[in-house]
Amino acid sequence: MSDAPIPARFYPAGGAAHGHPARLAWQDGTLLVLPEDSPPQRVDIAALQVEARGFNHSQWALQWNDADGNQLLMVDDAHIAPLRDAAPALFAGGHQIRQRTHRRFGAGILFLIALPLLLLAGFFLSIDPLAERVVAHIPSGIERQIGAAVLARTRAEGRMIDSGPAWEAVQIVGKRLARPAESLEFHLVDKPDINAFAAPGGIVVVYAGLIDKSASAEELAGVLAHEIAHVELRHSLRQLVKSAGLRVIVAALLGDYGGLGGWAAQLGELKFSRDAEREADLRGLARLHEAHIDPSGMPRFFETLAKSEAGRMPALFSTHPATTERLDALQKAIAAGNRGPVEPIDVNWSAIRKGLSTSASETAPGRR
């Protein structure tokens, strides 16, 4: 048995969405799972699947299937060493990805030795490889600073809702979707725009108009899951770096990230590629499954909005186009997935929307 039990979060098949504290250890060639509130389990090493997740691969997901369904353990990278040392082959894939990233960055340093030539070549060569190197090595503290700058700009442009039923509903849904040890913040803007966006560092901003157009908390959850996926996959940061241009990218490769801060204000206007949207959709659906939230709320919101706003372009669609191809892919992914049990989100949605409309009318011009 390993020297000391390893802390983890256990998500049993059909269990509560928030998971259960557990301890892990290797014993006689098997993984011993010791949940605080259920009997111990032994998992054969051959049944385990391991995947790096979270910001900067800061968490590890250990999954296996048994008679009850898919079982999931989440372990922080800071505690994973005893498991990795006991079964290095399980974790080899994740470490190879990290090693390849480091090798790419080393190659980038060689390019910087001939900086003038690199600047000249930048006009003719794709900017994407350099941007990817920057994104892969931006410290988490810099991400949080960029996110804080975006949030400060958002606050300066309009009133924020920091309390009340609508704000509480956003927090409830966000908490259901957040994984253990994830640092996510959910903010509500008092604007009628049908919009939401994600900023680096775990910042998710929702507009009051989006809540008003959502027919249920599950539809809001679908939008939030998609936006969280953009944060997790670092899509926002990647687009920010690419938009900043070659000069800022080269400075970032040399460790100077100050130039990125000036571009933070444009984050809400950046458009994602079709591949990025597809990737965020699938990762968002996976997160909804983990949280035991009905995933059909995601395509249902986009379909309803597309019909009700015919002839007009909601702000959300300008950066997240709801194409027929995308909606069809969502429906197929939901149909093909293992949905498992669904737990309703415990909020009075009609009362929340009504209260939000009342609040908006009270603060409208001439009513102050």
Side-chain angles (χ1 to χ4, degrees):
M1 187 168 177
S2 53
D3 295 337
I6 300 163
R9 198 80 182 174
F10 180 42
Y11 296 84
H18 54 73
H20 307 271
R23 298 281 173 171
L24 310 178
W26 286 115
Q27 189 178 59
D28 300 328
T30 61
L31 179 65
L32 180 61
V33 184
L34 303 168
E36 288 188 359
D37 51 4
S38 60
Q41 298 190 37
R42 291 183 180 275
V43 185
D44 188 85
I45 188 174
L48 284 171
Q49 294 181 336
V50 176
E51 177 187 4
R53 289 188 182 179
F55 307 136
N56 295 321
H57 303 297
S58 61
Q59 293 180 293
W60 293 88
L62 285 70
Q63 301 183 76
W64 69 96
N65 292 305
D66 57 21
D68 296 325
N70 181 260
Q71 314 284 358
L72 172 67
L73 288 164
M74 298 298 298
V75 185
D76 286 347
D77 186 67
H79 304 300
I80 204 69
L83 296 182
R84 184 174 55 218
D85 294 342
L90 273 178
F91 298 86
H95 286 292
Q96 288 174 359
I97 292 174
R98 291 180 175 182
Q99 290 171 356
R100 285 197 297 269
T101 301
H102 284 294
R103 286 196 294 268
R104 293 192 194 104
F105 187 71
I109 296 299
L110 293 178
F111 280 111
L112 291 177
I113 296 175
L115 184 58
L117 293 177
L118 177 62
L119 291 172
L120 181 62
F123 291 101
F124 305 99
L125 300 177
S126 172
I127 205 170
D128 288 357
L130 291 177
E132 291 296 333
R133 292 189 188 114
V134 171
V135 170
H137 294 275
I138 289 180
S140 58
I142 298 297
E143 281 195 68
R144 289 192 293 270
Q145 290 179 25
I146 294 174
V150 173
L151 184 59
R153 176 64 178 264
T154 303
R155 289 185 181 278
E157 291 179 344
R159 191 176 80 90
M160 305 292 288
I161 299 175
D162 296 321
S163 62
W167 179 86
E168 291 173 359
V170 172
Q171 306 310 310
I172 289 171
V173 175
K175 186 176 181 180
R176 279 280 298 270
L177 292 168
R179 294 182 180 129
E182 278 187 335
S183 178
L184 297 173
E185 297 180 18
F186 300 91
H187 300 272
L188 182 59
V189 181
D190 189 13
K191 285 188 176 183
D193 307 61
I194 306 168
N195 199 15
F197 67 87
I203 303 293
V204 180
V205 177
V206 182
Y207 286 69
L210 188 141
I211 293 181
D212 185 55
K213 281 293 183 180
S214 300
S216 67
E218 283 71 22
E219 291 190 5
L220 172 64
V223 176
L224 291 187
H226 178 90
E227 295 301 334
I228 293 171
H230 279 311
V231 174
E232 181 182 357
L233 296 165
R234 308 182 92 182
H235 288 160
S236 301
L237 188 62
R238 187 172 288 108
Q239 287 299 100
L240 188 66
V241 171
K242 290 179 181 179
S243 299
L246 186 61
R247 181 180 60 82
V248 175
I249 288 177
V250 171
L253 284 171
L254 292 171
D256 179 8
Y257 302 102
L260 289 174
W263 287 81
Q266 300 186 24
L267 190 63
E269 302 173 2
L270 297 180
K271 296 183 180 180
F272 297 115
S273 68
R274 287 188 177 184
D275 288 341
E277 289 295 345
R278 188 180 303 112
E279 190 177 16
D281 282 342
L282 295 179
R283 187 64 67 90
L285 288 178
R287 189 176 286 263
L288 290 168
H289 284 306
E290 288 180 18
H292 302 297
I293 296 174
D294 182 5
S296 63
M298 183 187 290
R300 188 168 60 241
F301 173 78
F302 289 119
E303 288 173 342
T304 301
L305 189 58
K307 293 176 182 177
S308 65
E309 297 294 309
R312 292 180 292 175
M313 175 67 76
L316 186 66
F317 283 4
S318 67
T319 55
H320 301 70
T323 62
T324 302
E325 177 188 3
R326 179 185 174 194
L327 293 174
D328 288 344
L330 275 171
Q331 296 288 10
K332 290 178 181 178
I334 292 172
N338 180 18
R339 297 186 62 167
V342 171
E343 299 177 14
I345 300 174
D346 187 20
V347 295
N348 186 338
W349 194 249
S350 60
I352 288 168
R353 293 176 66 195
K354 183 177 180 181
L356 198 59
S357 299
T358 301
S359 175
S361 64
E362 291 176 348
T363 58
R367 297 291 298 272
R368 294 182 180 277

